[in-house]
Amino acid sequence: MDYRKSNAPTTTVTRDMIKLCEDTGNVYETVMIVAKRANQISVEMKQDLEKKLQEFASYNDNLEEVFENREQIEISRYYEKLPKSTLIAAQEYEEGKVYFKNPAKDKNNF
């Protein structure tokens, strides 16, 4: 899922843990699923930001470029305004967009 098109809230939202745990039956397993997805989103966001900022990288020390690099500042502000990766992951989990499986439970079924 594209995190830029997410409809996740930008502020903290109270969530019903009983409703969140219906799929797994375990609060801790649900939290781990959301946390792992949040890490994936965070890594993806960081790579995108670094790739965009790399275009503006200068390898010489010039004070004029430091003060005049407005594009780099705008890109950084855009990424700061995006919802946090944990909020995006929780929203995806609630909407059923996260695929997960527990290998320990699959072994017990065989």
Side-chain angles (χ1 to χ4, degrees):
M1 178 172 181
D2 190 13
Y3 60 87
R4 285 170 250 139
K5 296 178 183 174
S6 174
N7 59 351
T10 56
T11 59
T12 305
V13 176
T14 304
R15 301 184 193 276
D16 183 15
M17 290 305 294
I18 304 300
K19 183 181 172 192
L20 280 176
C21 299
E22 288 176 351
D23 294 339
T24 61
N26 188 341
V27 174
Y28 304 107
E29 188 174 349
T30 302
V31 169
M32 284 306 300
I33 292 167
V34 172
K36 287 183 180 186
R37 179 63 185 138
N39 285 339
Q40 291 172 346
I41 293 169
S42 179
V43 167
E44 182 181 340
M45 289 173 81
K46 184 177 178 182
Q47 288 174 346
D48 286 348
L49 177 61
E50 286 177 352
K51 186 174 78 174
K52 288 182 180 180
L53 292 179
Q54 191 67 27
E55 296 173 6
F56 301 107
S58 109
Y59 299 105
N60 55 7
D61 292 332
N62 189 352
L63 291 177
E64 291 175 7
E65 289 182 16
V66 173
F67 293 113
E68 294 181 6
N69 204 345
R70 300 275 182 229
E71 295 89 6
Q72 188 175 8
I73 294 170
E74 290 301 318
I75 290 171
S76 297
R77 284 186 183 159
Y78 171 76
Y79 276 89
E80 287 175 1
K81 291 179 183 178
L82 287 175
K84 303 292 183 213
S85 59
T86 52
L87 294 171
I88 296 172
Q91 182 73 25
E92 287 180 359
Y93 183 81
E94 282 183 342
E95 294 174 356
K97 296 179 180 177
V98 177
Y99 172 77
F100 61 91
K101 75 177 189 179
N102 188 343
K105 287 184 180 179
D106 292 341
K107 283 183 183 179
N108 294 337
N109 290 338
F110 288 118

